[in-house]
Amino acid sequence: MSLKGKLEADVEISASASKFHEMFHKKPHHISNASVDKIQDCQLHDGDWGKVGSIICWNYFHAGKPEVAKQVIEAVDEEKNLITFKMIEGDIMDHYKNFKFTMQATPKGKGSVVHWTLEYEKLHENIPDSYSLLELVMGMSRDIDAHLIKGN
């Protein structure tokens, strides 16, 4: 059994790719308004919203309990509507040596497709693959889409 893993999923949304990307890039602190059952809070700990090297702390609900995650923005490509967050502290790091979330929104028809990639290395082989975190970000994507479509 490999300790390294990679999970990917696509979510079709009605919102534009640029508006969706903007929520993660420049307005992640607004995600708690769009996905209230999943994200309780998002705070900037260092740097500027949307800038590579900035540190963001999330309070979220996962696997039936509240959790915390501290991430650094590792990469941003505004033209490709792409952002990568690398975990540096938090509950996820109790199980993983490293963990990255990459989100890319691509225009498709009248809406977009949000592609999530989760890359990680488990601390030991008894840790399951992170399907529950993939489901969390997919659900968040649907919530954000509904929020953006309402014009919020």
Side-chain angles (χ1 to χ4, degrees):
M1 177 182 225
S2 175
L3 295 180
K4 291 189 178 190
K6 182 177 181 179
L7 299 175
E8 298 182 73
D10 289 333
V11 179
E12 291 195 23
I13 62 171
S14 298
S16 75
S18 60
K19 287 284 185 192
F20 188 88
H21 177 258
E22 183 179 33
M23 283 289 278
F24 281 92
H25 179 215
K26 297 185 177 173
K27 300 178 183 177
H29 51 295
H30 290 227
I31 293 174
S32 61
N33 298 329
S35 192
V36 295
D37 64 326
K38 296 170 189 71
I39 305 297
Q40 284 69 54
D41 191 29
C42 177
Q43 296 180 0
L44 182 66
H45 275 232
D46 190 32
D48 296 311
W49 290 117
K51 301 290 183 189
V52 171
S54 297
I55 297 174
I56 299 171
C57 187
W58 298 84
N59 291 68
Y60 62 102
F61 201 71
H62 172 247
K65 63 183 189 222
E67 295 190 354
V68 176
K70 191 178 277 189
Q71 303 174 320
V72 62
I73 298 174
E74 190 172 76
V76 174
D77 186 330
E78 290 187 64
E79 287 183 21
K80 293 182 179 178
N81 297 310
L82 181 139
I83 190 163
T84 299
F85 297 97
K86 179 182 177 183
M87 297 299 303
I88 54 174
E89 290 179 24
D91 294 296
I92 291 173
M93 301 311 287
D94 291 344
H95 305 286
Y96 299 93
K97 183 175 181 179
N98 56 57
F99 205 108
K100 286 185 190 182
F101 292 87
T102 300
M103 184 281 302
Q104 183 173 15
T106 305
K108 181 181 177 186
K110 293 183 179 183
S112 317
V113 173
V114 178
H115 183 78
W116 284 97
T117 306
L118 282 56
E119 297 176 85
Y120 50 87
E121 184 176 355
K122 303 172 197 177
L123 290 175
H124 54 78
E125 62 185 30
N126 294 328
I127 295 170
D129 286 318
S130 196
Y131 291 104
S132 64
L133 285 170
L134 186 62
E135 290 173 13
L136 175 72
V137 297
M138 291 172 63
M140 259 178 32
S141 298
R142 291 182 196 97
D143 293 344
I144 292 166
D145 181 43
H147 182 78
L148 291 171
I149 295 305
K150 289 181 189 172
N152 294 319

